[in-house]
Amino acid sequence: MSMKPSIGWLLGLGWLLSACASPDVDDRFAASERFSIAVIPDTQNYIDYRHQRAEGFVLDGQAMFMQQMRDISGRPDIAFVASVGDVWQHSTLPVDPEHAARGVGAIDNPYFGAALAPDDRTFQVEIPGAIQGYRLLKDAAIPFGVAPGNHDYDAFWSAAGYPPRLGQDGAALDPAELDRAALEMGVIHIGGLDNFRSVFGDQGEFFKNQSWYVDSYRGGANSAQIFAAGGYQFLHITLEMSADDSVLRWAGDVIRDHPHYPTIITTHDYLNSKGERLANPILDLAAVDPEHHNNAEQIWGKLISAWDQVFMVLSGHHHGQAYRVDRNHYGNPVYQLMADYQGRGQAGLDAGADRVTGLGDGWYRLMQFDFSTATPTLQVQTWSSHYRSNAGKLSTYADWYRDYEQPGMNATEFVAADEFEISLAGFRERFSQYAN
C-alpha cells in the first residue's frame, strides 16, 4: 500500500537530487511536496500596438501584460512557466522566403483585410514589449519554455487555392450569408520563424548557456527544458504549430535521451474549445500544407500516445478552455488542457471602452501540484493579475465571459471548466524508475 513520504525520505531525496543532478540546475523545488507551473495563454492582444494609449486606446495593454508577468515572476511557488504562444500580434512579411521558394502564393481576402497585413510596428512596439515581460522571468531565475503561435510567425496570409466566397460585386458577404463561414472565408497560411528565434532562439538572451535548456531544433523554434520539482526531474518540450514529422522525431529523441522524466508538451494549436483535437478550418495547416504539417490527431498518434513519459499536453489558440483525458498506447492517462483568454475585454469596458475589445484581463492558469498524499493531485486554478481573484471567487466571472466562450454551459459549469482538480492516480508507479 502506498504511504505518505516521510520527512526523512524527502530529506534523503533532496540530497540525492543535489548529488546526481547538474549543480547548475535550479533545485529549489527538487524535494518540495508542493509546487506550481504557470501557463501563460495567448498574450497578443496585450502586446498589440493598437491596444495602447499612444494609439488612442482606453488603457495600455502592455501595462496589463507586464502586471501579469510581474505577478507570475513574483510567486514563490513557481517551478516552471509554460507559454502556449501568440506572444505578439502582427507579422512582418507578406510571404516568408521558404514558402515563396516552394511557389506557395497568397491571395487578396476582404474577410481578413488589415488583420493579415505586415507591420513594422511589430519590431518597434510589439516585440520589445514581449521581451520586457519575459525578462522578468529571466531575472527571477524561473525556467520557462515558449511555443510559437500563428501570430508569432513572420508571415500570415490568405492561401491561394482556398478563395473566399464573395458577392457579385466582389465584396465580402455578411457572415450570416455564408453557409460554412469558416471555410468560405478562405484559409490562412503561415510561415517563417526568424522573428520568434530573434527573441526565443537557442542563442538568445533567455536560453543561451542556461543549464535547464537542454535541447532545441530549428534554432529554438522547438525546444526542451528540464526542471526539478516534487522529487522528480520534469521534461518540458515546446513544438512549433502543427509540427511536421522531423520535429516529432526530434521530440522523440529528446524524450529517449531523458528516460523516466515525466514529460509535458506545449504546442499552440491542439484542443479546440469543445475538447476536440481539431483545428479551426480557417487555420488548418495540415489541410492546406499536409506535407509540412501534422494535425493534432496525427501528433497524438505519432508522438504523444507513443511515448509513455508524456503525461500532459498544454495548448491555447482557441478562445476559451477545454480539458480531456485519453489513455496512451501503454494504458496510462494523458491530461490535455487548453486555455486561451485573449477574447476577454471587461478591463477595457471598465476603463470606458464602448465595446468589448479582447485583451485577456490578466487571466492565466496556475497548476498546483501536491505530492504530499499517497495519490498526488493537480489543482487547476485560473487567476487574474488584474482583478486579483480566482475564477471561482469572482461573482461576475460567468456573466462576463461565458456567453462568448462557452454559451452552452451554465454558470456553475463555466467556473468548473476553469477551476478543477485532477487526481494523478498511478503517477508514482508510472515514474518509479526515475534514476535520480
Side-chain angles (χ1 to χ4, degrees):
M1 183 175 71
S2 298
M3 298 181 66
K4 181 176 178 179
S6 68
I7 295 297
W9 179 88
L10 288 171
L11 291 174
L13 179 61
W15 174 87
L16 190 59
L17 285 171
S18 298
C20 297
S22 166
D24 295 328
V25 175
D26 188 345
D27 63 355
R28 286 175 293 176
F29 301 96
S32 175
E33 294 177 310
R34 298 180 180 88
F35 64 93
S36 296
I37 296 174
V39 184
I40 303 175
D42 308 44
T43 58
Q44 74 231 49
N45 284 332
Y46 301 126
I47 299 294
D48 191 333
Y49 73 86
R50 299 170 299 180
H51 297 160
Q52 317 304 323
R53 282 199 172 96
E55 295 291 326
F57 194 60
V58 294
L59 52 78
D60 281 314
Q62 290 198 10
M64 190 177 293
F65 168 70
M66 291 298 295
Q67 180 186 47
Q68 184 178 82
M69 299 300 275
R70 279 193 298 271
D71 193 83
I72 293 170
S73 62
R75 285 183 174 270
D77 61 328
I78 300 295
F80 189 80
V81 176
S83 171
V84 303
D86 272 2
V87 179
W88 50 80
Q89 184 76 286
H90 290 93
S91 63
T92 57
L93 295 174
V95 178
D96 66 289
E98 186 270 329
H99 283 88
R102 288 203 280 124
V104 176
I107 58 174
D108 292 333
N109 191 325
Y111 292 112
F112 304 129
L116 301 184
D119 200 299
D120 284 344
R121 283 168 289 192
T122 304
F123 297 128
Q124 299 160 5
V125 178
E126 296 184 3
I127 290 178
I131 292 172
Q132 186 181 12
Y134 279 90
R135 279 182 178 155
L136 295 175
L137 299 183
K138 176 188 175 185
D139 292 345
I142 301 174
F144 66 94
V146 184
N150 49 287
H151 284 269
D152 303 320
Y153 281 72
D154 304 339
F156 199 10
W157 68 91
S158 186
Y162 296 86
R165 185 160 72 89
L166 305 174
Q168 292 183 349
D169 58 357
L173 297 169
D174 186 304
E177 299 180 54
L178 301 175
D179 296 329
R180 298 169 67 232
L183 285 176
E184 293 187 344
M185 289 173 66
V187 178
I188 295 171
H189 202 3
I190 59 175
L193 282 168
D194 286 346
N195 294 343
F196 182 84
R197 281 186 286 261
S198 74
V199 179
F200 300 114
D202 54 15
Q203 297 302 302
E205 67 170 284
F206 296 127
F207 302 131
K208 185 178 181 180
N209 298 326
Q210 293 284 4
S211 59
W212 46 263
Y213 187 90
V214 295
D215 213 330
S216 63
Y217 186 65
R218 293 179 180 158
N222 309 269
S223 64
Q225 302 82 33
I226 58 173
F227 63 99
Y232 299 88
Q233 284 214 53
F234 288 81
L235 174 65
H236 176 265
I237 298 175
T238 69
L239 303 178
E240 61 192 74
M241 192 166 168
S242 303
D244 64 27
D245 285 348
S246 68
V247 172
L248 302 187
R249 285 193 294 269
W250 164 80
D253 290 343
V254 174
I255 297 171
R256 183 183 292 111
D257 290 344
H258 296 81
H260 317 309
Y261 283 39
T263 300
I264 300 169
I265 290 178
T266 297
T267 191
H268 186 61
D269 184 11
Y270 182 75
L271 290 186
N272 66 15
S273 60
K274 296 179 180 179
E276 303 165 318
R277 290 191 287 263
L278 287 175
N280 186 328
I282 250 178
L283 187 50
D284 188 342
L285 301 181
V288 73
D289 200 356
E291 293 184 7
H292 295 84
H293 294 280
N294 284 292
N295 61 33
E297 280 296 338
Q298 291 169 319
I299 293 172
W300 165 261
K302 295 179 181 181
L303 176 68
I304 295 166
S305 66
W307 289 93
D308 194 29
Q309 288 173 234
V310 180
F311 77 100
M312 180 173 289
V313 183
L314 304 172
S315 64
H317 185 56
H318 299 264
H319 296 198
Q321 58 291 108
Y323 168 61
R324 67 181 287 169
V325 182
D326 293 286
R327 299 280 172 175
N328 63 18
H329 291 337
Y330 303 87
N332 286 318
V334 181
Y335 310 99
Q336 301 148 84
L337 301 93
M338 184 277 287
D340 174 11
Y341 306 122
Q342 65 173 287
R344 298 183 172 185
Q346 184 63 37
L349 296 178
D350 294 344
D354 57 3
R355 61 184 177 85
V356 173
T357 299
L359 290 167
D361 289 355
W363 296 100
Y364 66 92
R365 280 277 172 87
L366 277 172
M367 302 199 304
Q368 299 174 320
F369 290 79
D370 187 348
F371 283 87
S372 67
T373 56
T375 300
T377 59
L378 167 57
Q379 189 72 40
V380 177
Q381 294 191 3
T382 301
W383 170 264
S384 171
S385 52
H386 178 74
Y387 288 110
R388 309 304 302 171
S389 176
N390 289 333
K393 294 182 179 179
L394 188 64
S395 61
T396 53
Y397 189 74
D399 293 336
W400 284 352
Y401 307 125
R402 178 191 55 185
D403 290 347
Y404 173 69
E405 293 177 356
Q406 300 286 1
M409 291 183 179
N410 62 38
T412 301
E413 291 169 335
F414 184 71
V415 172
D418 270 330
E419 304 256 284
F420 55 95
E421 183 175 278
I422 298 172
S423 170
L424 299 178
F427 188 96
R428 297 188 194 281
E429 294 78 9
R430 183 174 177 180
F431 296 105
S432 62
Q433 299 182 68
Y434 174 59
N436 284 348

